[in-house]
């Protein structure tokens, strides 16, 4: 419940601090005194969009702070989900800076307006004339029946399954789009893949082929140089091998004369052996190297294929071509597996649909069973509010569409007069009738919904006399289960409050300020007398005011 409200530098409010208690509180004041300003400030701290024009002093920031006692209302999960520190005495604060920027805090932690609004909706239900129009909307009407039917868990199960079903449908649509797109490219991707698959894509292949191409292209020159080299090495008289053999023999004779000669002899022996290996390798190369136009053509063909593929796929290496080949293979495989995936998701969607249909049917059954009770409660309560002939016709009509609330379209029709035609509330009910119907519905909801605080903004407009007494009594009864505020112009309603607050203006000749204070019993008598008979207090007005309070 709301325990304290501070408003600084907002509209006509300079600095306002008010404490509130549990039970039923009424807020009164002359027209134009600033009750709407007070309500506007409270709305800001609950997450309403800010307007720079609301700053009283444009050079100073506006601060609005509200303290709530929230321990009984099970809000720990909401705090946890938004990474906020939970405190049974929670403080909501809103700041509007001269620059126009707005900041919001919960227990001194910065939050977005969405989070502030999300918590605010769980703390206070501010009923305005605009909200009365919700009464004519199908979703609100279903909310009333669901509250009485205790459908919260059933509705949660339905909405959870609805999210799953819609997700499956979106996934199915995406898969079918992907399949259609993939099928357009399937033939081309398959052609590209086969082309790359047949190419010799291995690391270093281009370098190997280029080396082979150079060798095959220059085979005549290679054979000529190898033959000349072999002649130089092996000529019987002047060949390097024979000369080196003679040198080896000479030095071998010296090897016994000391380490230096032995080392030199060993070195010549190593050179001789290396030269023998070179002769053998040259001979092997001579045998291997031969003109091969067919092989040259094959090597050239492979090289040209690789060069063409690199250009076609804008790849600079064979490794990049291999990656493109693997990617194409994945695409082709994915296209082939899409049908299986579509079948799987289709089965999931159909299962969700069957379960949704069952859950929606359960909701429809529970709502249908509750409709007569809601009709009886509404008509009985409105009879006490001067509408003895008010009658409702409540019908639930199943549709083929899965809505957020089920598959029911609610026909919530009203007739104010006996024998009169039924019609929608929007067309049939007057503003005063809508207010009374809304009050009755809120009083019914208060028994089933755990809401800490509700604030009625002139819900008693258009009624008077005994009806206003009854409306005050209804709000008084509601306050046994929740904190109730009523902004009112009617003394009959104001007197029903456990507490009464007055909004008024002060004018010191320079500036006008809106103030608010809690009235004592004596002050309440005077306030009620003025509401009854004007500023000139008559004995009868004072007596009537005391009678109302008693």
């Amino acid at each position: 419940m709301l325990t304290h409200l501070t408003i600084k530098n907002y509209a006509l409010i300079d600095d306002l601090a008010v404490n509130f208690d549990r039970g039923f509180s009424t807020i009164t004041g002359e027209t134009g005194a600033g009750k709407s300003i007070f309500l506007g400030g409270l709305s800001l701290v609950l997450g309403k969009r800010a307007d720079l024009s609301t700053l009283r002093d444009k050079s100073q920031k506006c601060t609005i702070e509200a303290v709530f006692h929230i321990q009984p209302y099970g809000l720990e999960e909401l705090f946890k989900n938004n990474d906020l520190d939970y405190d049974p005495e929670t403080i909501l604060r809103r700041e509007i800076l001269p620059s126009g920027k707005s900041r919001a805090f919960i227990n001194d932690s910065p939050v977005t307006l969405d989070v502030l609004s999300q918590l605010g909706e769980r703390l206070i239900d501010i009923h305005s004339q605009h909200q009365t129009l919700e009464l004519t909307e199908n979703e609100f009407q279903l909310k009333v029946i669901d509250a009485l039917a205790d459908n919260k868990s059933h509705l949660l199960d339905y909405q959870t399954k609805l999210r799953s079903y819609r997700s499956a449908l979106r996934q199915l649509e995406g898969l079918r789009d992907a399949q259609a797109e993939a099928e357009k490219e399937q033939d081309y991707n398959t052609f590209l893949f086969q082309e790359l698959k047949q190419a010799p894509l291995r690391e270093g292949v281009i370098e190997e082929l280029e080396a082979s191409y150079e060798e095959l292209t220059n085979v005549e020159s290679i054979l000529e140089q190898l033959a000349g080299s072999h002649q130089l090495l092996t000529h019987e008289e002047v060949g390097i091998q024979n000369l080196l053999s003679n040198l080896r023999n000479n030095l071998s004779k010296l090897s016994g004369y000391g380490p230096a000669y032995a080392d030199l002899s060993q070195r010549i022996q190593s050179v001789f052996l290396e030269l023998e290996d070179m002769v053998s390798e040259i001979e092997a190369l001579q045998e291997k190297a031969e003109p091969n136009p067919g092989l040259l053509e094959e090597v050239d063909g492979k090289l040209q294929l690789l060069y063409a593929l690199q250009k076609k796929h804008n790849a600079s290496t064979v490794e990049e071509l291999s990656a493109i080949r693997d990617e194409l293979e994945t695409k082709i495989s994915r296209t082939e597996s899409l049908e299986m995936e579509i079948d799987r998701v289709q089965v999931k969607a159909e299962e969700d649909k069957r379960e949704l249909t069952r859950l929606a049917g359960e909701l429809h059954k529970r709502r249908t069973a509750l409709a007569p009770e809601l009709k009886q409660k509404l008509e009985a309560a409105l009879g006490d509010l001067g509408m003895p002939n008010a009658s409702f016709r409540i019908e639930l009509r199943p549709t083929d569409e899965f809505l957020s609330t089920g598959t029911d379209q609610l026909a919530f029709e009203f007739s104010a007069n006996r024998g009169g035609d039924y019609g929608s509330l929007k067309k049939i009910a007057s503003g005063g009738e809508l207010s009374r119907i809304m009050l009755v519905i809120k009083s019914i909801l208060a028994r089933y919904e755990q809401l800490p605080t509700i604030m009625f903004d002139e819900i008693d407009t258009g009624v008077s006399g005994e009806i206003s007494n009854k409306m005050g009594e209804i709000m008084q009864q509601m306050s046994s289960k929740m904190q109730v505020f009523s902004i009112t112009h009617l003394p009959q309603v104001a007197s029903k409050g456990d507490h009464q607050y007055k909004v008024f203006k002060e004018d010191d000749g320079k500036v006008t300020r809106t103030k608010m204070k809690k009235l004592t019993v004596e002050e309440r008598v005077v306030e009620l007398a003025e509401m009854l008979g004007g500023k000139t207090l008559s004995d009868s007005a004072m007596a009537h005011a005391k009678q109302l309070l008693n």
Side-chain angles (χ1 to χ4, degrees), residues 43-160:
S43 297
L44 279 178
V45 84
L46 296 174
K48 182 184 174 184
R49 294 288 171 183
D51 185 350
L52 189 58
S53 64
T54 57
L55 268 65
R56 178 180 177 85
D57 181 347
K58 297 295 191 289
S59 66
Q60 302 293 321
K61 71 178 179 181
C62 164
T63 303
I64 303 169
E65 190 172 277
V67 183
F68 293 88
H69 178 65
I70 65 171
Q71 189 169 8
Y73 306 112
L75 297 173
E76 290 87 348
E77 191 69 21
L78 189 150
F79 278 74
K80 181 181 177 181
N81 292 341
N82 289 288
D83 197 23
L84 294 169
D85 293 331
Y86 175 83
D87 193 321
E89 298 296 324
T90 283
I91 302 172
L92 274 59
R93 187 170 81 253
R94 187 80 180 278
E95 296 178 355
I96 306 168
L97 307 180
S99 63
K101 291 184 178 179
S102 168
R103 299 187 299 189
F105 303 85
I106 296 176
N107 292 331
D108 288 329
S109 295
V111 295
T112 64
L113 275 190
D114 286 342
V115 173
L116 187 69
S117 179
Q118 186 181 353
L119 177 59
E121 288 174 358
R122 299 283 297 274
L123 297 177
I124 294 187
D125 177 10
I126 297 181
H127 172 84
S128 62
Q129 291 181 355
H130 170 71
Q131 198 195 35
T132 299
L133 297 177
E134 289 183 0
L135 182 59
T136 65
E137 296 173 2
N138 187 74
E139 190 170 339
F140 181 82
Q141 295 164 358
L142 279 173
K143 179 182 177 182
V144 178
I145 290 184
D146 286 335
L148 269 67
D150 194 21
N151 280 343
K152 186 175 182 179
S153 62
H154 294 79
L155 196 57
L156 184 61
D157 289 343
Y158 169 84
Q159 290 170 344
T160 300

Side-chain angles (χ1 to χ4, degrees), residues 40 70 280 314 367 402 405 458 495 507 511:
I70 65 171
S280 297
N314 195 26
R367 288 165 175 167
F402 291 114
T405 52
E458 299 186 2
S495 66
D507 190 340
V511 293

Side-chain angles (χ1 to χ4, degrees), residues 437-468:
I437 295 170
M438 179 60 98
L439 177 60
V440 168
I441 285 178
K442 291 282 187 181
S443 69
I444 294 173
L445 286 175
R447 303 173 202 167
Y448 298 92
E449 287 194 327
Q450 192 178 48
L451 185 69
T453 301
I454 187 167
M455 182 169 290
F456 293 106
D457 181 18
E458 299 186 2
I459 196 170
D460 47 24
T461 299
V463 300
S464 59
E466 184 58 27
I467 305 304
S468 59

Side-chain angles (χ1 to χ4, degrees), residues 100-383:
K101 291 184 178 179
S102 168
R103 299 187 299 189
F105 303 85
I106 296 176
N107 292 331
D108 288 329
S109 295
V111 295
T112 64
L113 275 190
D114 286 342
V115 173
L116 187 69
S117 179
Q118 186 181 353
L119 177 59
E121 288 174 358
R122 299 283 297 274
L123 297 177
I124 294 187
D125 177 10
I126 297 181
H127 172 84
S128 62
Q129 291 181 355
H130 170 71
Q131 198 195 35
T132 299
L133 297 177
E134 289 183 0
L135 182 59
T136 65
E137 296 173 2
N138 187 74
E139 190 170 339
F140 181 82
Q141 295 164 358
L142 279 173
K143 179 182 177 182
V144 178
I145 290 184
D146 286 335
L148 269 67
D150 194 21
N151 280 343
K152 186 175 182 179
S153 62
H154 294 79
L155 196 57
L156 184 61
D157 289 343
Y158 169 84
Q159 290 170 344
T160 300
K161 185 57 66 176
L162 179 61
R163 285 193 293 272
S164 174
Y165 176 61
R166 287 175 174 172
S167 175
L169 290 182
R170 287 193 298 271
Q171 190 178 357
L172 200 57
E173 183 181 4
L175 286 170
R176 284 171 174 160
D177 288 345
Q179 185 186 44
E181 191 65 30
E183 285 175 349
K184 292 179 185 176
E185 301 177 358
Q186 179 76 343
D187 291 343
Y188 184 55
N189 285 339
T190 301
F191 168 75
L192 292 177
F193 170 71
Q194 292 299 332
E195 193 176 44
L196 287 168
K197 187 180 179 181
Q198 292 168 10
L201 301 182
R202 66 177 187 277
E203 186 176 354
V205 66
I206 289 182
E207 291 78 5
E208 293 176 16
L209 289 170
E210 287 176 339
S212 295
Y213 181 82
E214 287 297 318
E215 183 178 2
L216 290 166
T217 304
N218 298 284
V219 66
E220 299 292 343
S221 175
I222 290 171
L223 286 171
E224 182 181 345
Q225 298 302 323
L226 286 173
S229 299
H230 190 270
Q231 179 71 14
L232 287 172
L233 286 167
T234 60
H235 193 278
E236 290 183 2
E237 297 179 1
V238 294
I240 296 172
Q241 193 175 31
N242 287 333
L243 294 174
L244 191 60
S245 178
N246 294 332
L247 177 61
R248 181 186 64 169
N249 292 334
N250 289 339
L251 291 175
S252 175
K253 295 174 182 178
L254 297 174
S255 61
Y257 299 139
Y261 300 107
D263 180 61
L264 186 61
S265 175
Q266 184 62 41
R267 288 167 65 189
I268 290 298
Q269 176 66 19
S270 296
V271 172
F272 183 80
L273 292 174
E274 179 68 18
L275 195 63
E276 280 189 329
D277 284 344
M278 291 174 66
V279 170
S280 297
E281 189 168 344
I282 288 172
E283 290 172 348
L285 289 171
Q286 282 179 308
E287 291 179 8
K288 179 183 176 184
E290 60 178 344
N292 191 338
L295 181 60
L296 176 61
E297 185 178 354
E298 181 183 341
V299 169
D300 184 53
K302 289 179 179 179
L303 271 176
Q304 296 308 316
L305 172 62
L306 290 171
Y307 291 153
L309 288 174
Q310 282 183 316
K311 183 177 181 181
K312 185 175 188 176
H313 294 281
N314 195 26
S316 56
T317 65
V318 170
E319 287 74 16
E320 289 181 30
L321 286 176
S322 297
I324 293 169
R325 177 199 60 200
D326 294 343
E327 184 180 347
L328 285 167
E329 186 176 22
T330 301
K331 283 183 178 180
I332 294 166
S333 175
R334 172 66 174 160
T335 302
E336 293 169 352
S337 66
L338 271 175
E339 190 62 42
M340 294 176 60
E341 183 70 4
I342 287 171
D343 289 343
R344 185 190 68 79
V345 177
Q346 179 72 48
V347 169
K348 173 69 166 57
E350 289 171 357
E351 289 174 353
D352 284 349
K353 185 176 182 180
R354 283 194 295 271
E355 181 62 8
L356 265 182
T357 302
R358 187 191 69 78
L359 292 169
E362 181 67 20
L363 282 170
H364 176 77
K365 180 180 176 181
R366 295 172 67 88
R367 288 165 175 167
T368 301
L370 217 287
E373 182 182 342
L374 176 60
K375 169 182 167 68
Q376 185 272 327
K377 286 179 182 291
L378 287 173
E379 291 175 354
L382 288 173

Side-chain angles (χ1 to χ4, degrees), residues 18 31 34-35 61 101 120 123 125 171 188 199 235 293 321 349 406 422 427 432 471 497 518 529-530 538 546 548:
V18 191
T31 301
K35 296 187 293 297
K61 71 178 179 181
K101 291 184 178 179
L123 297 177
D125 177 10
Q171 190 178 357
Y188 184 55
H235 193 278
L321 286 176
Y422 285 92
K427 294 180 179 179
M471 293 183 78
K518 184 177 182 180
E530 289 182 353
S538 64
K546 290 177 182 177
L548 285 174

